[in-house]
């Protein structure tokens, strides 16, 4: 029996969440730090405050009567982001483990500290 190629793929678990502090490790904004504003798990991308700025032309509307050109943040692929260690502030990998109550938590592989 042939399986359908149109079955939806499972969205992967990402190492970043909204509100995390990250550093960009590749691209034009390499080395800059910022906070994650929004995550798109299905596309494996995240919007980081102040990173990958692009100009967008806006038509005049009721909210923006002048219209014009504004700068907005564009999504960055999560492979270009690394979490910052809560203790030292250095880039670190993220691991998952169960805490005392049996809940899965994220932790810093560098210092072992749990990431909220």
């Amino acid at each position: 029996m042939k399986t359908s190629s149109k079955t939806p793929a499972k969205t992967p678990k990402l190492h970043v969440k909204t509100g995390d502090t990250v550093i960009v490790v590749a691209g034009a904004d390499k080395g800059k730090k910022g906070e994650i504003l929004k995550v798109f798990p299905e596309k494996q991308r995240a919007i980081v405050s102040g990173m990958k700025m692009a100009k967008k032309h806006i038509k005049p509307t009721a909210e923006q009567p002048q219209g014009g050109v504004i700068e907005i943040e564009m999504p960055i692929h999560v492979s270009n982001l690394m979490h910052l260690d809560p203790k030292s502030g250095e880039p670190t990998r993220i691991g998952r483990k169960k805490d005392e109550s049996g809940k899965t938590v994220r932790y810093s592989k560098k210092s072992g500290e749990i990431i909220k």
Side-chain angles (χ1 to χ4, degrees):
M1 188 185 286
K2 193 173 184 181
T3 58
S4 174
S5 64
K6 298 195 181 204
T7 55
K10 190 175 177 183
T11 38
K13 199 92 152 162
L14 302 179
H15 66 280
V16 292
K17 288 184 178 181
T18 305
D20 287 349
T21 307
V22 294
I23 187 166
V24 180
V25 294
D29 293 318
K30 183 177 180 177
K32 292 184 184 174
K33 298 174 186 176
E35 186 178 329
I36 294 191
L37 302 176
K38 193 169 183 182
V39 178
F40 305 100
E42 63 282 347
K43 294 182 180 178
Q44 295 189 15
R45 293 181 176 269
I47 294 179
V48 183
S49 62
M51 305 295 159
K52 199 172 174 189
M53 300 300 286
K55 293 186 186 298
K56 183 173 183 179
H57 297 263
I58 303 292
K59 281 187 178 181
T61 60
E63 300 95 31
Q64 290 270 1
Q66 287 181 319
V69 181
I70 61 167
E71 283 202 6
I72 60 168
E73 291 108 350
M74 298 301 288
I76 300 173
H77 198 272
V78 293
S79 67
N80 296 330
L81 303 173
M82 274 192 94
H83 212 282
L84 288 176
D85 187 33
K87 253 187 191 171
S88 65
E90 295 176 1
T92 181
R93 289 178 177 236
I94 297 298
R96 286 186 172 82
K97 64 181 177 182
K98 298 213 184 255
D99 62 354
E100 300 84 35
S101 61
K103 192 175 179 183
T104 304
V105 294
R106 298 179 306 152
Y107 72 97
S108 164
K109 292 233 177 171
K110 212 167 244 188
S111 66
E113 190 141 333
I114 292 177
I115 295 166
K116 305 282 186 225

